[in-house]
């Protein structure tokens, strides 16, 4: 099969899929956005980089984009021309990018969302916090706005201080913004893959660990690690995902659809936002759970068939990074050409390389220093290490066992992914959620 991968973000997020496709015997071309180092993916046999993905679109049997923030009109046009694109449409991407559209989509399907209000600018949002004296989550609503401005206020004063700081720094969003009431509870998400006829495969329930540092401290960096499991039945999906299936098909959505929620102390699941794309590191953890050909099932989904087979095991994924992650202000030259030692034929199947290439570097052969081709860095987001097992604890132990075999100067990773679930899972189980997970 001829496979074209469009890696839209800056971390080489589709490189692991490219490697798996080559191993399965497919002809692979991959486009990396210009934010990636020009040598990301270099040296991996069979992985051909292209600078212009559009010229390869008609060549491909299937086109797989990683994101939804660019190229969407072109990808929609290709779908209409008969090109098999396993990715979101302009309309389905808007459910994530334009958060107001996502909130309305939930309510149109009878799904309650946390109270929220839209404002034209930061001063208007600040005035509302002062007036109500309540806790809020701040989010942008425009499709070109900086999503890093999302913020969960610890108090009304904390939110006002944050809004004032952004204004003083000139960080004013181009479009409207929203304040969403804080709901206390447990963060828990569910996703499912979609084909042209509806859902394929089983549900994927997952717990994201978003903060940079262990103990859930430090800045929010998307996901430092994730615990997930494919499950046959899902209470949370029945309330926030299943009712959306028919209309997601009408929107032309293909690929993953994830709904992140807060489950309150009464057991009600409140949807917070959509992810309408291949999330990372989540997708590279999913790959570890998929059985058989890595992309044949995607082509089948584009043609209305459900052939996805997954492992029932719990999976853990841990992000490996180096400074200056998550700021990513260092130059490409500063971040590149640092050896990644400890990768072997035995453990590399548990390591999904991201900003990585293969190049000649000093290495040890017994007691002798030699020059050989090994993995080395091309950025600050290095890899996702996975582990699988019958329980959360077993999956995490396996992931961290692999990490301990690796050496990179100044290697960064959280050492507590999944630990909080020892207390969280019994609470969710008492409400009927996450019942196929066990901690130990």
């Amino acid at each position: 099969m001829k496979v074209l991968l469009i890696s839209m973000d800056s971390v080489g997020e589709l490189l692991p899929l490219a490697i798996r496709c080559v191993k399965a015997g497919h002809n692979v071309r991959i486009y990396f956005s210009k934010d990636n180092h020009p040598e990301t993916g270099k040296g991996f046999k069979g992985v051909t980089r292209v600078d212009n993905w559009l010229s390869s679109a008609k060549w491909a049997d299937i086109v797989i984009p990683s994101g939804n923030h660019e190229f969407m009109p072109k990808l929609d046009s290709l779908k209409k021309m008969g090109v098999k694109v396993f990715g979101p449409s302009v309309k389905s991407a808007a459910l994530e990018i334009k958060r107001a559209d996502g909130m309305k989509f939930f309510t149109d399907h009878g799904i309650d969302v946390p109270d929220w209000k839209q404002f034209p600018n930061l001063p208007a949002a600040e005035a509302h916090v002062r007036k109500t004296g309540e806790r809020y989550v701040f989010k942008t609503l425009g499709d070109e706005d900086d999503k890093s401005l999302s913020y969960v206020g610890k108090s009304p004063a904390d939110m006002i201080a944050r809004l004032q700081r952004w204004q003083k720094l000139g960080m004013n969003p181009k479009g409207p913004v929203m304040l969403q009431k804080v709901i206390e509870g447990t963060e828990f998400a569910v996703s499912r893959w979609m084909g042209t006829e509806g859902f394929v495969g089983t549900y994927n329930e997952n717990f994201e660990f978003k903060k940079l540092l262990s103990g859930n401290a430090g800045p929010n960096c998307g996901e430092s690690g994730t615990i997930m499991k494919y499950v046959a039945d899902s209470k949370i999906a029945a309330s926030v995902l299943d009712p959306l299936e028919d209309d997601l098909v009408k929107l032309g959505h293909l690929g993953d659809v994830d709904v992140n929620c807060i489950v309150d102390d009464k057991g009600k699941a409140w949807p917070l936002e959509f992810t309408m794309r291949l999330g990372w590191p989540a997708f590279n953890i999913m790959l570890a759970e998929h059985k058989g050909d890595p992309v044949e099932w995607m082509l089948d989904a584009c043609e209305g068939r459900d052939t996805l087979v997954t492992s029932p095991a719990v999976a853990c994924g841990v992000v490996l990074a180096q400074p200056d992650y998550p700021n990513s202000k260092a130059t490409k030259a500063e971040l590149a050409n640092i050896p990644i030692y400890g990768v072997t034929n035995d453990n590399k199947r548990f390591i999904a390389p991201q900003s990585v290439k293969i190049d000649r570097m000093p290495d040890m052969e017994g007691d002798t220093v030699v020059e050989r081709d090994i993995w080395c860095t091309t950025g600050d987001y290095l890899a996702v290490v996975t582990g699988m097992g019958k329980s959360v604890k077993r999956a995490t132990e396996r992931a961290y066992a692999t990490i301990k075999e690796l050496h990179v100067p100044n290697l960064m990773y959280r050492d507590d992914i999944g630990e909080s679930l020892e207390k969280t899972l019994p609470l969710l189980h008492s409400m009927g959620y996450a019942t196929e997970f066990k901690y130990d």
Side-chain angles (χ1 to χ4, degrees), residues 115-134:
D115 290 341
W116 65 282
K117 189 174 178 63
Q118 179 173 318
F119 303 92
N121 50 44
L122 297 182
E126 178 187 341
H128 184 75
V129 179
R130 290 183 180 276
K131 179 181 177 181
T132 63
E134 295 182 346

Side-chain angles (χ1 to χ4, degrees), residues 412-430:
M412 300 165 58
Y413 61 90
R414 278 185 62 163
D415 64 0
D416 68 339
I417 299 301
E419 287 183 7
S420 63
L421 295 183
E422 186 173 10
K423 293 183 178 180
T424 299
L425 286 175
L427 176 61
L428 289 175
H429 290 168
S430 71

Side-chain angles (χ1 to χ4, degrees), residues 2-47:
K2 293 175 287 187
V3 180
L4 173 63
L5 306 178
I6 306 174
S7 199
M8 295 184 185
D9 288 305
S10 61
V11 301
E13 68 278 0
L14 287 188
L15 179 57
L17 178 59
I19 295 168
R20 287 174 180 267
C21 287
V22 170
K23 187 176 180 180
H26 301 306
N27 190 343
V28 181
R29 296 181 186 178
I30 186 168
Y31 165 87
F32 291 105
S33 78
K34 304 305 179 185
D35 293 330
N36 288 266
H37 191 284
E39 291 189 340
T40 294
K42 171 187 172 182
F44 288 94
K45 293 181 180 179
V47 178

Side-chain angles (χ1 to χ4, degrees), residues 259-316:
V259 180
N260 191 32
C261 301
I262 288 285
V263 178
D264 67 20
D265 59 3
K266 295 180 181 179
K268 183 176 177 63
W270 297 87
L272 303 178
E273 60 192 357
F274 283 102
T275 299
M276 308 298 293
R277 55 186 163 82
L278 305 183
W280 45 267
F283 176 60
N284 285 311
I285 307 169
M286 290 173 168
L287 283 178
E289 295 223 280
H290 293 179
K291 295 183 176 182
D293 192 288
V295 291
E296 190 73 47
W297 70 271
M298 297 182 184
L299 181 60
D300 290 343
C302 291
E303 296 174 346
R305 297 188 298 275
D306 179 2
T307 59
L308 175 61
V309 180
T310 57
S311 167
V314 176
C316 169

